[in-house]
Amino acid sequence: VRAASAVNVLKNLQKRSSVIGQGQNIENDLSRVTLPSQKKKGPLKLIVVGGNTGAQKSLAALLESLPADTPPVVISVSTISGFLPEFIQKLKSKMQVQLEVAKNETPLFMGHVYFCPTGSHGKIEARAQQLMLRLEKGSPVCSQMPSSNVLFESAASVVSGGLCGVLLSGFGTDGVDGLKSVAGHGGFTLIENPETAQFPFAPQKALALGVVDQIFDSHEFAKVILDYRNRSAA
């Protein structure tokens, strides 16, 4: 019921396509909408990915498309956190990046993807110019553990404009406030296309708040992220 209540967001965007889509036809090509961008700063240093229910397939498609020189990626998707070894084993033969379950105080390196495990929130810290992932016990946030909000907000405060936040399929609002924080600190924000997401409520909510830079289908996320990296590094 909560997810269905957000469907009107897309209808309203379609009516305002001439403004938001910057000349693009949202009704016919919603997956390629470019929304008004926040002011961006500096090169891309970190990518954070969140979501929960329905995000597994989209996440796999995103990861399979990442090249080996991708900036470090940290993932907080609560619905796969309980079976990460199996998830990683299934995917690793298709990967150009290295997949691993994060441990406490894990240093983050290019070409690596770190998954926040079950029972802990992931927080980004910077120590002597090295980005680190700290795992922290606590209560669920927006009913999720690990929480996308916790990861996104901590990353935004540390990395600012060098951050890309990606919100995938999700039931409930976890990740929405976090994506707002990424945008507010000058980061680049992406959401999974609500029309193809299995559970579109969280992406739609972020869209309604006006904190989304681009909407793309999951298999196209990597191209968008890397295009942005190349532009920001120029």
Side-chain angles (χ1 to χ4, degrees), residues 204-225:
Q204 285 179 344
K205 184 66 174 179
L207 195 59
L209 291 177
V211 298
V212 178
D213 286 313
Q214 288 187 326
I215 307 167
F216 273 81
D217 292 327
S218 56
H219 67 280
E220 297 178 307
F221 270 128
K223 180 181 183 302
V224 179
I225 291 169

Side-chain angles (χ1 to χ4, degrees), residues 11-133:
K11 293 180 179 179
N12 289 336
L13 281 173
Q14 290 167 0
K15 291 177 182 178
R16 294 185 290 130
S17 62
S18 61
V19 177
I20 298 179
Q22 297 178 349
Q24 300 183 52
N25 189 324
I26 291 180
E27 183 171 3
N28 294 332
D29 197 7
L30 178 62
S31 66
R32 296 182 181 275
V33 169
T34 299
L35 299 182
S37 296
Q38 304 289 331
K39 184 177 180 180
K40 303 304 181 298
K41 307 172 185 177
L44 182 59
K45 299 177 182 177
L46 177 68
I47 300 165
V48 288
V49 181
N52 52 76
T53 308
Q56 181 175 341
K57 184 177 180 180
S58 301
L59 179 60
L62 187 160
L63 295 176
E64 288 174 18
S65 63
L66 293 176
D69 62 346
T70 300
V73 180
V74 180
I75 295 170
S76 179
V77 175
S78 59
T79 49
I80 66 167
S81 63
F83 57 95
L84 285 176
E86 295 83 0
F87 183 77
I88 290 173
Q89 182 64 32
K90 182 178 179 180
L91 290 181
K92 69 178 185 179
S93 64
K94 306 174 184 178
M95 297 289 112
Q96 297 182 60
V97 291
Q98 299 294 315
L99 309 182
E100 57 187 274
V101 180
K103 298 179 181 179
N104 191 33
E105 299 189 347
T106 298
L108 306 180
F109 296 105
M110 177 181 292
H112 288 251
V113 176
Y114 308 89
F115 293 84
C116 297
T118 188
S120 297
H121 294 301
K123 290 187 174 183
I124 303 299
E125 296 182 349
R127 300 181 188 176
Q129 299 183 333
Q130 171 68 58
L131 292 178
M132 308 280 293
L133 177 62

